[in-house]
Amino acid sequence: MSSTSLPRLQHICASGVIAAIGIWIAWLSYTQEPADAFLFPRLISTVFVVLALWTFGKALLGWTKVGHGLSPVAMRRLAPGLAVALVYIFWAAETLGFYTGGAIAFFLLLVLYDPAPHDEAKSWIKRAIITACYVAVMYALFAMLLKIYTPREIFF
């Protein structure tokens, strides 16, 4: 495989997966009840599906500049974060609740990717404060401003 076709293939595969996931999420938002609770997800998912299909079409036709693609080293660096995201999406949000699962996932991502030293209490306190601010912003945005129902389970 040539050096220019691998990045293009990566772009086609990634944009195709994202488009498929977007279509699945849009379909879910249009088939769930109560309809009022899914108004915002319907709007956003429809916009994202249009953009994802547009990107996928451009990738198939070769109309995008794809750069050099992801190296195996970059993929290995991204893998832990992707694993955290998948666990959150498919298990933690529903089992632990949107905010609790989101806080745990966000904190784990900070631990994985924050370059601050892991042997200093100051960096752990900073991560905890950033995570608390993240949860506060998510709560203010979804529960208070948009009045959107979020998955609630064990904690809240």
Side-chain angles (χ1 to χ4, degrees):
M1 189 170 281
S2 73
S3 63
T4 58
S5 63
L6 182 60
R8 183 166 180 247
L9 180 62
Q10 285 180 349
H11 187 65
I12 290 170
C13 291
S15 62
V17 168
I18 290 169
I21 291 170
I23 290 169
W24 176 60
I25 291 171
W27 178 78
L28 284 175
S29 70
Y30 279 95
T31 58
Q32 300 297 310
E33 293 294 330
D36 291 345
F38 289 92
L39 180 61
F40 182 74
R42 286 176 182 168
L43 175 68
I44 293 299
S45 65
T46 301
V47 170
F48 280 124
V49 164
V50 169
L51 293 173
L53 289 173
W54 180 35
T55 301
F56 181 58
K58 285 176 57 177
L60 281 175
L61 297 171
W63 293 352
T64 56
K65 294 180 183 177
V66 294
H68 300 292
L70 289 174
S71 67
V73 172
M75 287 187 202
R76 279 194 300 277
R77 288 183 186 147
L78 291 173
L82 181 60
V84 168
L86 291 173
V87 168
Y88 171 74
I89 291 168
F90 291 109
W91 180 77
E94 191 69 35
T95 305
L96 301 175
F98 178 77
Y99 302 109
T100 305
I104 292 168
F106 191 82
F107 186 76
L108 287 174
L109 290 172
L110 280 175
V111 169
L112 289 168
Y113 295 109
D114 183 12
H118 287 83
D119 59 350
E120 294 179 8
K122 180 181 169 184
S123 62
W124 288 99
I125 292 169
K126 179 186 81 169
R127 290 180 186 110
I129 290 170
I130 291 170
T131 300
C133 290
Y134 164 78
V135 172
V137 168
M138 289 296 103
Y139 181 78
L141 177 65
F142 288 109
M144 299 172 76
L145 183 65
L146 297 172
K147 304 209 185 307
I148 292 176
Y149 301 104
T150 57
R152 296 174 186 220
E153 284 299 322
I154 293 177
F155 299 110
F156 62 97

